[in-house]
Amino acid sequence: MNNSANRLVGVIFGAVYLLVGLLGFTATSGVGFVSTEGGLLLGIFEVNPLHNVAHLLIGAALLIGGLAGLRAAKTVNGIVGAAYLLLGIVGFFIADTGANILALNTADHILHLGSALILLGVSLGAERAGVTARPAV
């Protein structure tokens, strides 16, 4: 794992998202499971219990992928990165509607887009199969 950017990012992001998912439950006491308005995690990120469960599942997928091997890490990073890119964009359009079942706010959108850029960047750019460095002449 020490030579794999995909595995390292998968494990780190996985652990962080698992922690965020667990901490989210401290901010959602009395909040409906799919409420469009949630509690504030760290005073910034709006979450509801469904949002917390999503963080736990995504964190587990990233962590397991990172621990399983390069191919798994690269695949999971790419899939989660693409999903977060879509969620980050769509989130801006559903924020004040009944479709906002994850209780997303602007801080969430920015975090999701940032996560998407990192996960997709590592998945698509690091450790490309078949690419080898040419020796210096």
Side-chain angles (χ1 to χ4, degrees), residues 11 19 27 41 47 67 92 94 107 115:
V11 168
L19 181 61
L41 177 62
V47 292
L67 293 173
F92 284 106
I94 66 167
S115 292

Side-chain angles (χ1 to χ4, degrees), residues 14-130:
V16 168
Y17 271 100
L18 281 170
L19 181 61
V20 165
L22 292 173
L23 288 175
F25 287 108
T26 66
T28 56
S29 177
V31 175
F33 191 75
V34 293
S35 176
T36 58
E37 293 186 19
L40 290 180
L41 177 62
L42 303 175
I44 302 170
F45 303 103
E46 195 168 1
V47 292
N48 65 18
L50 178 60
H51 198 159
N52 298 333
V53 170
H55 283 149
L56 290 172
L57 293 172
I58 288 165
L62 287 165
L63 185 62
I64 291 167
L67 293 173
L70 174 58
R71 186 174 184 165
K74 188 173 176 124
T75 300
V76 174
N77 289 349
I79 291 169
V80 172
Y84 269 146
L85 179 62
L86 180 62
L87 181 62
I89 293 168
V90 170
F92 284 106
F93 298 99
I94 66 167
D96 294 323
T97 72
N100 188 12
I101 62 170
L102 293 173
L104 301 169
N105 66 3
T106 302
D108 291 316
H109 308 324
I110 293 168
L111 178 66
H112 294 147
L113 289 172
S115 292
L117 290 175
I118 293 168
L119 290 167
L120 280 172
V122 169
S123 176
L124 297 173
E127 300 141 354
R128 295 193 310 223

